[in-house]
Amino acid sequence: MIKQIDFKPGDIIQVHERIKEGEKSRIQVFEGTVLAIKGRGENKSFTVMKIVGDIGVEKIFPIKSPNLEKIVIKAHSKKKIRRSKLYYMRLPKPA
């Protein structure tokens, strides 16, 4: 479980998530760009997007989830981010 957020939208992070399959459990890493942080207190969550091939994959992680092992900040945004939600970074849908 994560106590506090040390990252902002635009940062590249690695989220180490515990995945339970039957009786076994493993750690899976999801690395991508933070698009949004929303909510406050117990309801706080953040959205991470990564691109696999030509498809954008988004995951929403609640902060208080017991399945989150740790969050590693890989890089901070090179530019100054002036928005709190970076939904414009989503890929356009194919026609």
Side-chain angles (χ1 to χ4, degrees):
M1 184 166 15
I2 306 303
K3 300 287 184 199
Q4 151 183 27
I5 292 181
D6 298 330
F7 52 87
K8 302 180 295 192
D11 292 350
I12 298 171
I13 62 171
Q14 281 185 344
V15 181
H16 296 255
E17 183 181 18
R18 181 173 300 282
I19 305 291
K20 194 167 187 179
E21 297 170 337
E23 296 184 13
K24 295 181 180 180
S25 67
R26 61 186 173 88
I27 303 293
Q28 182 172 356
V29 179
F30 189 86
E31 181 175 344
T33 306
V34 179
L35 290 185
I37 299 172
K38 48 190 155 181
R40 63 172 119 149
E42 296 282 320
N43 295 329
K44 192 172 252 190
S45 64
F46 60 97
T47 305
V48 181
M49 181 188 81
K50 74 176 180 177
I51 298 175
V52 179
D54 292 337
I55 300 171
V57 178
E58 287 185 18
K59 268 187 135 177
I60 300 171
F61 297 99
I63 291 294
K64 297 290 184 176
S65 173
N67 294 330
L68 291 183
E69 289 295 313
K70 65 179 178 176
I71 296 175
V72 178
I73 301 171
K74 297 290 283 187
H76 291 288
S77 176
K78 294 178 183 175
K79 297 180 182 178
K80 182 179 178 184
I81 303 296
R82 297 179 60 124
R83 293 175 178 258
S84 62
K85 311 283 193 268
L86 304 179
Y87 294 137
Y88 63 86
M89 292 182 68
R90 291 178 172 164
L91 297 173
K93 294 181 182 177

